Amino acid sequence: MAEAVPRRHPTLDEVAERAGVSRSVASRALNNAPHVSRAKREAVERAVRQLGYVPNPTARALATRQTGAAALVVSGEDPSIFADPFFARVTVGASAALDEADLHLMLCLAASDRGRKRVEELMRSRGADGVMLMALREDDPLTRMADEVQMPVVFGGRPVGSAPRWYVDVDNVGGAREATEHLISLGRRRVAVICGRLDTEAGRARYRGYRDAMLGAGLDPYPPLEGDFTERSGAAAMAALLAGHPDVDGVFAANDNMAAGALRTVRQAGRRVPADVAVVGFDDLMAAQIADPPLTTVHQPVEALGREMARMLVALVNGQDPTPLVLPTRLAVRASA
């Protein structure tokens, strides 16, 4: 008589699929964790009854450590950084993706030693299911912390001098190259650059893209004139540029805020945009559309950056191993160039 084949036990993934929820939601529902809607909790309970699912005790012990929240951490000196339209759009994208996974979004600003210590404690104590890190500078202690803690960490943009396993970035070099090539195609030959902070990978990469385009056209690149991604720094950099190089006829600014500041300074100097000085920015936020004149800029999918960071983090929380992602950019041509 043939031996009976042992019955295979249903898995948590099958419970989640039957209930129409993510694996992390199913896990939290089974362990009475917070932040699971009543409808999804009931769907999971129904799937458990239908499939005859019995939780693994070890897996249950691990699952009870879940918090139901993910943290978006921005490293910077300015407490008002979350008011910047760029980070606001990133937050919108991340929040939408986390909402799909029933994870709450925590916003953390590492703007001081005390703020960084709070973030470090959050990461060491696993006060969240995972962390998304943004705006890191060279030698930022949070980069080292991410390598040490036993929790999922996704980088928004690659940090300087580090090669994280999981990150979402945009094509900074390609976007900056396209912006500069556009200025050159308009007949501009004295094209300068207002860089972002050069202790950030975005600042360095966008300068590389500018430099590649200038050298490729047989033109001499201007040295990097550094700003801090604010409108004020763009205006100051443009004033210094006009004082030192009054014959400049094109400017690539590494973000829209600095480009808006540059436009204001050019007008105040009695120059016409784009007839005398053509200006191109990077980001394509609302500021670019309402600028005077409307700003030609590199469109980067800012909301998608936040959304894909959150989706990558959810995949890690669910035990998957996603691959890094670089999002494409494109040029949005308007009246400034």
Side-chain angles (χ1 to χ4, degrees), residues 28-63:
R28 293 203 302 278
L30 288 171
N31 291 285
N32 295 316
H35 312 311
V36 180
S37 68
R38 179 177 178 180
K40 290 183 178 179
R41 194 180 298 276
E42 290 176 349
V44 170
E45 292 171 352
R46 187 163 53 250
V48 166
R49 292 193 300 271
Q50 293 171 349
L51 294 172
Y53 173 75
V54 178
N56 179 287
T58 301
R60 177 185 286 275
L62 290 172

Side-chain angles (χ1 to χ4, degrees), residues 106-177:
M106 301 167 55
L107 297 178
C108 304
L109 177 60
S112 63
D113 289 341
R114 180 179 297 179
R116 279 186 287 273
K117 287 179 180 178
R118 284 198 298 267
V119 171
E120 289 178 5
E121 177 59 27
L122 171 77
M123 295 170 72
R124 290 192 188 280
S125 65
R126 298 201 63 150
D129 292 340
V131 169
M132 296 167 283
L133 292 178
M134 292 198 71
L136 299 181
R137 298 181 188 170
E138 190 172 15
D139 297 325
D140 194 308
L142 292 181
T143 303
R144 295 191 298 273
M145 175 65 61
D147 292 333
E148 297 171 1
V149 297
Q150 298 297 312
M151 72 182 308
V153 177
V154 172
F155 287 82
R158 284 161 283 191
V160 174
S162 179
R165 186 170 179 183
W166 298 292
Y167 63 83
V168 180
D169 205 351
V170 298
D171 185 7
N172 288 301
V173 173
R177 183 191 303 115

Side-chain angles (χ1 to χ4, degrees), residues 243-266:
H245 304 276
D247 61 343
V248 65
D249 60 5
V251 175
F252 165 58
N255 83 334
D256 288 348
N257 291 335
M258 294 191 298
L263 285 174
R264 176 161 50 86
T265 297
V266 170

Side-chain angles (χ1 to χ4, degrees), residues 229-301:
F229 294 113
T230 64
E231 182 175 351
R232 181 183 64 255
S233 72
M238 191 70 222
L241 184 60
L242 290 176
H245 304 276
D247 61 343
V248 65
D249 60 5
V251 175
F252 165 58
N255 83 334
D256 288 348
N257 291 335
M258 294 191 298
L263 285 174
R264 176 161 50 86
T265 297
V266 170
R267 290 197 309 273
Q268 290 173 349
R271 307 286 185 91
R272 297 168 299 163
V273 179
D276 299 322
V277 182
V279 180
V280 177
F282 198 115
D283 281 340
D284 199 18
L285 299 173
M286 183 58 68
Q289 300 176 36
I290 64 175
D292 182 21
L295 184 66
T296 293
T297 186
V298 177
H299 174 87
Q300 65 164 321

Side-chain angles (χ1 to χ4, degrees), residues 72 89-98 100 131-134 153-157 166-170 300-317 320 322-328:
L72 174 61
R89 300 312 300 170
V90 169
T91 302
V92 167
S95 179
L98 292 176
E100 294 174 359
V131 169
M132 296 167 283
L133 292 178
M134 292 198 71
V153 177
V154 172
F155 287 82
W166 298 292
Y167 63 83
V168 180
D169 205 351
V170 298
Q300 65 164 321
V302 180
E303 212 166 299
L305 176 66
R307 183 171 62 249
E308 295 303 330
M309 286 168 55
R311 287 177 175 172
M312 186 174 291
L313 188 65
V314 170
L316 288 169
V317 170
Q320 302 171 30
T323 56
L325 181 62
V326 176
L327 301 173

Side-chain angles (χ1 to χ4, degrees), residues 77-85 87 109 111:
E77 297 172 352
D78 186 357
S80 67
I81 195 168
F82 281 116
D84 185 303
F87 289 104
L109 177 60

